[in-house]
Amino acid sequence: MQINDFIKNLEQQLSETEPGLIHPDIEFRNIEEWSSLVALMVIAMVDEEYNVALTGDDIRNSTTIQDLFDKVVSK
Amino acid sequence: MVSEYTKFGIKLKRIDINDYHLILDWRNSEDVRPYMQYQKIITLEEHLSWFYKIDNELNYYFIGYFNDEPFGVYNIKDVDFKENCGEGGLFLKDKSFWEGDVAIRGNFALADFCFNVLNLDYTYCHILKDNKKAINFNKQQGLVLDESFISETSIRMTLLSSDFYKKNKKLITYLSK
């Protein structure tokens, strides 16, 4: 599993954020369109693409995109 | 009167007179109060007076529970069964619940309650104009700006039943697995 692929999949959930702006060190809460709905879309994407059950707590306990990726890898 | 509704992993439980401590703590907190139309601290007396006004079949105020943990208040109020509409609203225990999936699960559960149990055609809500986060969140779920509503401080957004299920089809399918 590569973080670049993870970011591409993440970008597909962000309809108003220009592709290429997301990088591992970004704090996802600072993404303007980030919301609870986007969080759920990310959880669904991770389930579908990686067969991993990311939880709301995983997201709440993460800060950056890298943190999210690490959570997925560790599960 | 419906006292409980469970959907999408969320239990919505109709508020009880004894829930005042939770509701007042959340409603008067700095994570909630500045974003409400009425921004003064609410006293227990005011709360109880309000509770007796809304404890009827035209107003549904629920505490949302996720894994048995209470996390916010969701409501549909002033239900009009002639127009088949009502005013929705919510506030959460604290800001951290906006970041994960719980808030949207609660919203979806409330919308499903409105459209499938109360059989409403649409819901609407009023939001402070400068609450961009909430406006964005509503747009993502399919709410649209109601141009006919004019106010200096707030906007009104509406959600049609058909728009809700169409716009959120993929996520509703995922949550229904």
Side-chain angles (χ1 to χ4, degrees), chain B residues 36-88:
Chain B
M36 306 301 273
Q37 305 236 15
Y38 184 78
Q39 300 192 344
K40 292 179 181 168
I41 296 282
I42 295 171
T43 64
L44 176 58
E45 190 179 24
E46 287 169 329
H47 173 78
L48 294 176
S49 168
W50 165 82
F51 176 82
Y52 290 120
K53 282 181 195 162
I54 58 90
D55 190 27
N56 55 55
E57 72 279 2
L58 298 182
N59 294 283
Y60 295 83
Y61 280 78
F62 300 104
I63 290 185
Y65 291 80
F66 184 66
N67 293 334
D68 294 326
E69 184 191 356
F71 66 91
V73 173
Y74 287 80
N75 73 266
I76 183 78
K77 69 174 186 177
D78 299 333
V79 173
D80 181 339
F81 285 111
K82 286 183 183 165
E83 285 289 318
N84 277 337
C85 66
E87 179 170 357

Side-chain angles (χ1 to χ4, degrees), chain B residues 96-132:
Chain B
S96 70
F97 283 94
W98 287 108
E99 297 163 2
D101 59 325
V102 176
I104 190 66
R105 283 175 182 266
N107 255 26
F108 281 8
L110 180 72
D112 196 67
F113 171 76
C114 292
F115 300 136
N116 265 331
V117 178
L118 299 180
N119 292 314
L120 302 183
D121 293 331
Y122 71 95
T123 62
Y124 58 89
C125 62
H126 295 99
I127 309 161
L128 292 177
K129 277 180 178 171
D130 58 2
N131 192 350
K132 303 293 182 198

Side-chain angles (χ1 to χ4, degrees), chain A residues 29 33 35-36 47 56 60, chain B residues 96 99-101 104 140 174:
Chain A
R29 289 179 189 84
E33 65 177 296
S35 69
S36 180
D47 185 22
R60 288 168 64 194
Chain B
S96 70
E99 297 163 2
D101 59 325
I104 190 66
Q140 290 173 336
Y174 173 74

Side-chain angles (χ1 to χ4, degrees), chain A residues 4 8 14 16-19 21 23 26 28 31 33-35 40 42-43 46-49 51 53 56-57 60-61 64:
Chain A
N4 288 343
K8 277 181 191 167
L14 299 166
E16 292 169 18
T17 304
E18 226 173 281
L21 290 180
H23 56 80
I26 275 194
F28 58 84
I31 298 170
E33 65 177 296
W34 187 271
S35 69
L40 180 59
V42 170
I43 288 170
V46 168
D47 185 22
E48 192 174 309
E49 296 291 330
N51 199 27
D57 279 346
R60 288 168 64 194
N61 294 328
T64 64

Side-chain angles (χ1 to χ4, degrees), chain B residues 111-159:
Chain B
D112 196 67
F113 171 76
C114 292
F115 300 136
N116 265 331
V117 178
L118 299 180
N119 292 314
L120 302 183
D121 293 331
Y122 71 95
T123 62
Y124 58 89
C125 62
H126 295 99
I127 309 161
L128 292 177
K129 277 180 178 171
D130 58 2
N131 192 350
K132 303 293 182 198
K133 199 90 177 163
I135 293 169
N136 180 49
F137 181 54
N138 283 344
K139 282 181 181 170
Q140 290 173 336
Q141 297 167 69
L143 282 87
V144 294
L145 188 64
D146 180 349
E147 304 279 1
S148 68
F149 178 82
I150 299 167
S151 159
E152 281 186 16
T153 55
S154 60
I155 62 164
R156 177 173 143 142
M157 300 181 83
T158 60
L159 178 64

